[in-house]
Amino acid sequence: MPQRRAPRVSYRNGEVSLALAQSGTLAVFGFGAGAQAMEDPRCLQVGLECFDETPPLELWQVDAPVSHGRDVGVRWARGGGWLFAAIELDERDHGGPRDTARQAYEQLRRVVGEQAERHVLRIWNYLGAINQGEGDAERYKLFCDGRAAGMGDFFAADGFPAATAIGHHGARPTLQVYLLACDQPGARVENPRQVSASRYPRQYGRTPPSFARAMTLPAGDVLAISGTAAVVGHASAHADDLHAQLVETFSNLDALLATAGMAEGFDTHSPLKAYVRHPADAAQVREFIARRLPGVPVLLLHGDICRRELLVEIDGWRYA
Ligand code: 3EB
């Protein structure tokens, strides 16, 4: 099989309709309640508010013709060996975070499992009030239970994809899940500074989180980086200390790049996202990243990290 050329991911200002009209557009994301709604299945409104005055669009583009459609609740687009798929469920129709996550993953698995592009490499999950509830009943932990149930043994052969799970502040209790899959498997990367999430001890919930720390795309030269926070071993470090958490998060990102065999640092083709719990922290996060990674495109979003003591999380891409 030919080596796949990785989708290009970028942030752009402009009209959704123009982005959709460009050839090779696999997906277009808008951010926040003001994002433009479109019928096109490649267009997704992410329910996280952006701290930019004019939120950009995120574009995924491939070097091939793209076809798209819907299969019950799943929207999809495919081209050049790549597949985008997304689902949004309202918890009020599915009975809480556990059953909603189970349903979302069952439906995605049903649709993606039938495609040539069935190797799921990267998944994003956005759910409301992620830290509400105590102990095993915290909504993130219920989400983890339902995600694992809905995944079933679909990932048994390949292992878990890279992922992000973040809390939104939207008015409706929606769960949004979207993914990138390919017709070839990727290579999982774990972080030597961190316990693999699937081996987290019992204190973090009944079901350990089902994700890998990063995924090298079958294109070989691109790393998809999971949500990365100030977790060392399995413990959260520097509770409630924003600056120390940022330093630790970058140590984790550096370790991931090294483990993936990539050169240090990021570049202007490596778009990142920073999820910030408290809007008042956004300026400090922006300044820290700008100083550390000048010229790297970063989107700052208002989102809650799945552990209450964590204030910031970063995910994104590294193009070699
Ligand atoms: C952590 O390191 C922080 O449940 O899919 C990061 C990335 C985190 C993905 C997920 C959770 C997830 O455990 C939390």
Side-chain angles (χ1 to χ4, degrees):
M1 230 185 253
Q3 244 221 352
R4 293 304 183 185
R5 183 136 181 238
R8 288 179 306 286
V9 177
S10 61
Y11 303 135
R12 302 250 194 100
N13 288 107
E15 288 291 316
V16 176
S17 55
L18 290 179
L20 291 171
Q22 280 182 36
S23 72
T25 297
L26 193 68
V28 180
F29 305 89
F31 298 90
Q36 205 184 336
M38 294 287 251
E39 270 306 300
D40 191 301
R42 297 171 295 168
C43 180
L44 201 71
Q45 293 166 272
V46 171
L48 301 174
E49 293 300 321
C50 177
F51 291 114
D52 290 4
E53 220 161 284
T54 321
L57 300 172
E58 179 177 339
L59 260 62
W60 291 5
Q61 290 169 304
V62 295
D63 292 317
V66 170
S67 57
H68 51 81
R70 284 172 203 274
D71 188 331
V72 195
V74 176
R75 27 173 89 213
W76 59 265
R78 63 139 60 85
W82 302 94
L83 176 75
F84 161 74
I87 189 166
E88 179 176 318
L89 297 180
D90 190 317
E91 287 185 26
R92 291 169 296 193
D93 302 329
H94 300 275
R98 177 168 37 208
D99 289 340
T100 308
R102 184 177 50 74
Q103 294 252 2
Y105 274 82
E106 278 174 359
Q107 291 200 44
L108 285 168
R109 180 166 55 126
R110 179 179 53 77
V111 172
V112 176
E114 287 170 0
Q115 317 295 322
E117 303 89 346
R118 72 171 64 85
H119 302 284
V120 179
L121 305 173
R122 181 68 172 92
I123 305 193
W124 291 258
N125 306 272
Y126 299 126
L127 69 150
I130 197 168
N131 300 129
Q132 205 180 80
E134 297 306 316
D136 288 347
E138 188 183 19
R139 284 170 50 85
Y140 170 66
K141 298 189 179 102
L142 297 174
F143 160 81
C144 286
D145 294 339
R147 168 172 59 179
M151 280 180 165
D153 57 9
F154 183 63
F155 295 100
D158 274 6
F160 294 126
T164 296
I166 288 287
H168 68 69
H169 294 265
R172 291 187 306 123
T174 55
L175 171 66
Q176 287 185 312
V177 184
Y178 67 90
L179 61 83
L180 176 70
C182 186
D183 60 1
Q184 300 174 21
R188 270 150 204 77
V189 181
E190 287 297 321
N191 187 334
R193 302 182 82 238
Q194 299 181 308
V195 172
S196 294
S198 60
R199 301 214 179 100
Y200 278 173
R202 177 65 181 86
Q203 71 203 77
Y204 298 101
R206 272 185 296 256
T207 314
S210 325
F211 69 96
R213 297 291 177 186
M215 180 77 70
T216 303
L217 302 192
D221 51 355
V222 177
L223 189 68
I225 301 165
S226 293
T228 303
V231 171
V232 181
H234 59 71
S236 304
H238 321 295
D240 302 317
D241 179 341
L242 179 66
H243 183 264
Q245 286 191 18
L246 282 164
V247 172
E248 202 71 69
T249 298
F250 274 90
S251 297
N252 280 330
L253 291 170
D254 289 346
L256 261 183
L257 293 180
T259 309
M262 301 188 100
E264 264 177 74
F266 289 81
D267 57 70
T268 54
H269 303 293
S270 304
L272 300 178
K273 288 195 183 89
Y275 304 93
V276 182
R277 180 183 293 278
H278 302 303
D281 288 343
Q284 194 184 334
V285 173
R286 191 189 299 282
E287 279 161 33
F288 184 97
I289 298 176
R291 217 175 314 124
R292 180 80 194 235
L293 303 175
V296 174
V298 182
L299 197 61
L300 261 80
L301 297 171
H302 183 203
D304 292 339
I305 294 82
C306 60
R307 298 183 184 189
R308 290 170 199 191
E309 63 279 11
L310 295 177
L311 303 172
V312 64
E313 184 172 303
I314 294 175
D315 72 13
W317 304 87
R318 165 61 196 273
Y319 287 69

